[in-house]
Amino acid sequence: MNTIDSLYQFNQTQLKANPLIKKEISVKPIFTEIAAKFDRHQEDDHVDFYAERIIPRMLSQEGPRAASADLTGDGLVDIFIGGANGKGGAIFIQNTSGGFVKKPQAAFVPFNEMEDVAAVFYDADKDGDMDLLVGAGGNHKLKSSGLLNHRLFLNDGKANFTYQPNAFPEFGFNTGVMVPLDFDEDGDMDVFVGARNTPLKYGVTPASAIYVNDGKGMYTDQTATIAPAFANLGMVTSASWGSVLGKTGNQLLVAGDYMYPIVFSFKGGKFVEEKTNLNNLFGWWQAIQVVDLNGDGLKDIVLGNMGKNGYLKPTQDAPVKLWMNDFDGNESLDKILTRTVNGKDVPVFLKAEMQEQIPLLKKENLNYEVYAKKSFQELFKPEAIEKATVKTFNICSSIIAWNKGGGQFEIQELPIEVQFSSLNAILPLDINGDQKIDLVMGGNLFGFMPQFGRLDANYGLVLMNNGNKQFKVVEDKVSGLAITGQVKDILLLPAKTSNQVLFIRNDDYPVLLKLNKD
């Protein structure tokens, strides 16, 4: 029996090893970061909330976007990475060792003041090489400035670009996405442009457009005649052209804020919305990928959303709503965000914030207790509410829509680790060579009002496709990903030695990673 105030001595060699302590096995990560000399994206200091008081998030930090293609005909994939206000975008040429070297472009310099929020390579003038189309944003440029216009740069086949003036008509909205598509099957590439938002007017629906190519890289806006619905689509963030419905031919899939995923077919000389069971999924959709994930010959849809870790957690039964009208009669548009509490629409913002925008509320609600007990319908006159434009946000989960054919989809939430933050970028990739498409993902959004916090819990994700509609999230130490910041785009860059993946980040350097072979 041991007693107190005694000295006990132990010899380590006499102690038995603890069988529960296992030696950690070294695991080769899927990705390894590679040193690269890319320019840093540097966001300007514009703050949306100074111009619009009670909006949930800033839309001035949507860039940069990037694009990849073989620009010189040497079989190696090169890159364009968009720039921020005052910085300008850049072309990077891949060398035989898999590195990238910046190639200056005099044609880009006059447009350095424009913020690059959309970019795509395609053959615009049918000369066999990849041209560059860039879209602008920033949320504080106006149509009259010309700083929101689309820019088409023609390639000479050696990655020397020339600006094509007046290739596109004037544009007055922040761009969300650009999709080349030969919808009329005449052999040249037309372009769909999804508009992100109306500058300085959060929630006001911008006008998206369809541009028709004359075969030489000059475009006319034919939205009014062949796609009138595009003028009122919504706040578009993403789009894809491909076979979504399992029918012959392709469809245009479009999604964005306060939108459900919309599928359009071109038939009878017009873009017509197809009926699907996606029409009640009003998200703040940030990304789309259309890919056959289960090998059944039907393209499934991966949709990136805000995730379930944010301040607002809308559901089908308890949606968030954006109400827009002149509620106080001062001839200016008010935008009021509500959420559902006990079946009632309740303003998201506090009394002090609301009365800065609508002073009338201060007089009619002298203290916080009175304000706190009122629903949105009790704060404003019925006639003002009846005339309001209402937008809905009723799903925050990132999902897979499994294609069953005929416009019917089975909705499955992505694993919980994906829901910890927003999902902004999705790269389909067969990582382990098992003929199943895996998913590489990036996210995070910082530009919310302070009381909303920030979404920053995504450090890059790898989801392995186990078949049977099951995806497993790979542990960080196995994936090799540790991507901080706001990921806006992910590019696959095939190289001679191994495939590489590039994560594009807002207000930070891109991160280049090598896909390790087994």
Side-chain angles (χ1 to χ4, degrees):
M1 181 175 180
N2 297 335
T3 60
I4 61 173
D5 298 327
S6 299
L7 176 64
Y8 297 94
Q9 292 183 339
F10 298 91
N11 188 332
Q12 187 173 357
T13 59
Q14 295 175 343
L15 298 178
K16 293 182 179 180
N18 187 341
L20 298 178
I21 300 176
K22 295 183 180 180
K23 195 172 185 179
E24 188 169 341
I25 300 173
S26 177
V27 178
K28 186 177 182 180
I30 294 172
F31 291 104
T32 302
E33 187 172 346
I34 306 171
K37 295 182 179 179
F38 293 115
D39 296 342
R40 176 176 179 169
H41 180 267
Q42 293 180 279
E43 191 62 70
D44 61 28
D45 59 359
H46 177 74
V47 178
D48 302 31
F49 305 125
Y50 294 160
E52 299 182 274
R53 297 268 181 194
I54 50 175
I55 60 174
R57 57 167 294 209
M58 296 199 294
L59 297 180
S60 59
Q61 299 179 357
E62 298 293 277
R65 291 299 195 276
S68 61
D70 179 3
L71 302 180
T72 62
D74 63 356
L76 299 174
V77 173
D78 311 302
I79 310 169
F80 169 79
I81 302 178
N85 183 17
K87 303 299 179 183
I91 295 287
F92 294 88
I93 304 298
Q94 185 177 176
N95 56 36
T96 55
S97 62
F100 292 86
V101 179
K102 184 176 179 178
K103 184 178 177 68
Q105 302 288 333
F108 292 179
V109 175
F111 306 100
N112 281 354
E113 192 178 348
M114 302 173 80
E115 186 144 350
D116 303 332
V117 296
V120 63
F121 285 118
Y122 70 105
D123 188 1
D125 54 2
K126 297 172 64 176
D127 66 351
D129 56 34
M130 293 291 101
D131 307 305
L132 173 65
L133 179 61
V134 184
N139 203 31
H140 57 293
K141 318 287 188 181
L142 300 177
K143 180 178 181 179
S144 58
S145 69
L147 296 176
L148 293 172
N149 289 338
H150 314 317
R151 286 158 284 155
L152 178 62
F153 298 94
L154 300 181
N155 186 359
D156 68 352
K158 299 178 180 179
N160 300 304
F161 287 87
T162 304
Y163 175 60
Q164 178 84 322
N166 304 314
F168 285 84
E170 188 179 44
F171 196 66
F173 305 98
N174 295 303
T175 298
V177 65
M178 294 173 148
V179 180
L181 67 172
D182 184 12
F183 71 89
D184 50 10
E185 299 181 346
D186 63 352
D188 55 40
M189 298 304 289
D190 311 300
V191 176
F192 166 76
V193 173
R196 179 70 178 95
N197 69 296
T198 303
L200 301 175
K201 294 182 179 179
Y202 180 91
V204 175
T205 301
S208 297
I210 186 75
Y211 298 101
V212 177
N213 194 341
D214 70 352
K216 299 177 182 178
M218 299 297 290
Y219 289 83
T220 56
D221 184 350
Q222 295 192 16
T223 309
T225 55
I226 65 175
F230 289 4
N232 196 40
L233 267 182
M235 300 169 67
V236 176
T237 58
S238 307
S240 179
W241 175 249
S243 181
V244 179
L245 298 181
K247 299 178 180 178
T248 302
N250 295 322
Q251 294 82 40
L252 180 67
L253 174 65
V254 185
D257 286 357
Y258 307 101
M259 294 177 63
Y260 61 86
I262 309 173
V263 179
F264 290 97
S265 292
F266 186 72
K267 50 190 178 183
K270 292 196 175 187
F271 280 91
V272 179
E273 181 178 349
E274 298 279 5
K275 291 183 179 180
T276 75
N277 65 332
L278 304 175
N279 62 358
N280 196 36
L281 301 178
F282 292 88
W284 281 0
W285 305 114
Q286 301 300 296
I288 290 175
Q289 275 292 349
V290 177
V291 58
D292 183 1
L293 293 173
N294 57 358
D296 65 354
L298 296 173
K299 297 288 184 68
D300 309 300
I301 307 171
V302 188
L303 286 154
N305 206 347
M306 287 291 110
K308 303 170 77 171
N309 200 28
Y311 180 80
L312 300 172
K313 295 179 174 65
T315 66
Q316 296 283 320
D317 296 327
V320 167
K321 297 176 185 177
L322 181 68
W323 308 74
M324 295 184 292
N325 196 10
D326 178 11
F327 290 103
D328 55 0
N330 66 350
E331 299 184 355
S332 67
L333 183 67
D334 302 308
K335 292 151 287 190
I336 299 173
L337 197 69
T338 66
R339 57 182 174 180
T340 307
V341 179
N342 296 326
K344 296 182 178 181
D345 299 309
V346 177
V348 169
F349 291 97
L350 300 177
K351 177 177 179 289
E353 298 162 324
M354 288 279 286
Q355 66 192 27
E356 283 186 4
Q357 176 71 27
I358 308 174
L360 178 68
L361 291 174
K362 184 175 183 179
K363 179 180 179 181
E364 297 181 353
N365 303 272
L366 296 179
N367 58 55
Y368 281 83
E369 182 180 9
V370 172
Y371 174 84
K373 291 179 179 179
K374 290 185 178 180
S375 68
F376 170 77
Q377 284 78 7
E378 293 171 318
L379 288 170
F380 298 100
K381 295 178 180 179
E383 55 267 29
I385 294 173
E386 289 172 7
K387 295 179 181 178
T389 299
V390 185
K391 298 187 179 231
T392 302
F393 173 26
N394 65 12
I395 178 172
C396 56
S397 302
S398 294
I399 63 171
I400 297 176
W402 295 99
N403 199 337
K404 298 167 66 177
Q408 297 301 299
F409 296 85
E410 176 188 339
I411 306 305
Q412 177 187 24
E413 287 190 3
L414 283 160
I416 188 62
E417 293 89 341
V418 181
Q419 313 298 345
F420 290 162
S421 187
S422 67
L423 179 55
N424 308 339
I426 306 161
L427 174 66
L429 178 65
D430 181 4
I431 291 174
N432 55 4
D434 65 354
Q435 308 305 310
K436 298 185 185 76
I437 300 299
D438 310 302
L439 299 171
V440 181
M441 299 176 162
N444 298 334
L445 288 172
F446 296 170
F448 294 97
M449 287 288 276
Q451 61 267 45
F452 286 27
R454 54 161 55 176
L455 296 174
D456 60 1
N458 187 318
Y459 293 89
L461 293 165
V462 173
L463 274 63
M464 300 301 293
N465 188 343
N466 291 338
N468 299 317
K469 300 181 181 178
Q470 298 298 314
F471 283 84
K472 181 180 179 181
V473 177
V474 178
E475 294 181 22
D476 293 349
K477 64 181 179 181
V478 179
S479 73
L481 299 182
I483 314 295
T484 58
Q486 302 177 83
V487 173
K488 296 296 184 177
D489 217 341
I490 306 176
L491 300 181
L492 176 63
L493 308 172
K496 286 191 174 181
T497 54
S498 65
N499 286 336
Q500 299 175 353
V501 172
L502 186 67
F503 282 74
I504 306 295
R505 299 185 292 177
N506 177 272
D507 203 30
D508 210 334
Y509 289 99
V511 179
L512 182 64
L513 302 115
K514 178 181 70 172
L515 177 61
N516 294 316
K517 297 179 180 179
D518 292 336

